[in-house]
């Protein structure tokens, strides 16, 4: 490979790495903003609900959803770190996570329906189940180098 071609590839690689770092460094929406977008409430309304998780069923649901978002962000951060550290594991990791997420969602839905029927706290219970499973997956991935 010629020196000029190698130099062009290096510049392209550096540009990609810089763009990737900029995207990761860019602040994303806060948890309150995400929940406000999903619910249609204003951020101050969501913040009020999150300030006292046991105040009422709505607050309980929002706190459960917040905890789920936190767990999912932590898992995504770990996934990003693992992909960066070992790009050859990226495909295996993506495949494992897609299958796991489908299984997690189905299992949590079934178990919460069994426990809660169609009660008003069904969505909160499902979010709590998904949070627990996501924390378990994060711990499992932390302990392994490549799936």
């Amino acid at each position: 490979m010629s020196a000029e071609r190698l130099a062009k590839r290096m510049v392209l690689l550096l540009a990609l790495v810089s763009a990737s770092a900029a995207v990761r460094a860019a602040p994303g929406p806060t948890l309150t903003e995400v929940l406000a977008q999903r619910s249609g409430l204003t951020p101050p309304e969501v913040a009020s609900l999150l300030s006292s998780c046991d105040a009422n069923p709505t607050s309980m649901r929002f706190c459960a959803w917040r905890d789920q978002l936190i767990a999912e962000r932590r898992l995504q951060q770990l996934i990003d770190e693992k992909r960066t550290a070992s790009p050859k594991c990226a495909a295996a990791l993506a495949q494992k996570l897609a299958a796991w997420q489908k299984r997690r969602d189905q299992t949590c839905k079934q178990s919460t329906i069994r426990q809660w029927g169609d009660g008003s706290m069904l969505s909160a219970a499902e979010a709590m189940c998904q949070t627990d499973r996501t924390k378990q997956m994060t711990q499992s991935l932390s302990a392994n180098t490549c799936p």
Side-chain angles (χ1 to χ4, degrees), residues 43-87:
E45 290 171 320
V46 171
S48 176
L49 290 168
L50 295 174
S51 69
S52 182
C53 292
D54 57 357
N56 57 54
T58 303
S59 288
M60 289 178 194
R61 280 191 292 278
F62 272 80
C63 290
W65 294 332
R66 178 205 53 208
D67 295 347
Q68 182 183 11
L69 287 173
I70 291 169
E72 288 177 356
R73 283 184 175 186
R74 285 186 183 140
L75 176 60
Q76 188 59 53
Q77 183 179 19
L78 178 63
I79 291 166
D80 292 345
E81 290 170 7
K82 290 211 171 270
R83 285 182 178 152
T84 300
S86 180

Side-chain angles (χ1 to χ4, degrees), residues 17-55:
V17 168
S18 296
S20 175
V23 167
R24 275 183 283 177
T30 65
L31 295 170
T32 301
E33 291 168 340
V34 171
L35 290 170
Q37 290 170 345
R38 291 182 182 183
S39 68
L41 298 176
T42 65
E45 290 171 320
V46 171
S48 176
L49 290 168
L50 295 174
S51 69
S52 182
C53 292
D54 57 357

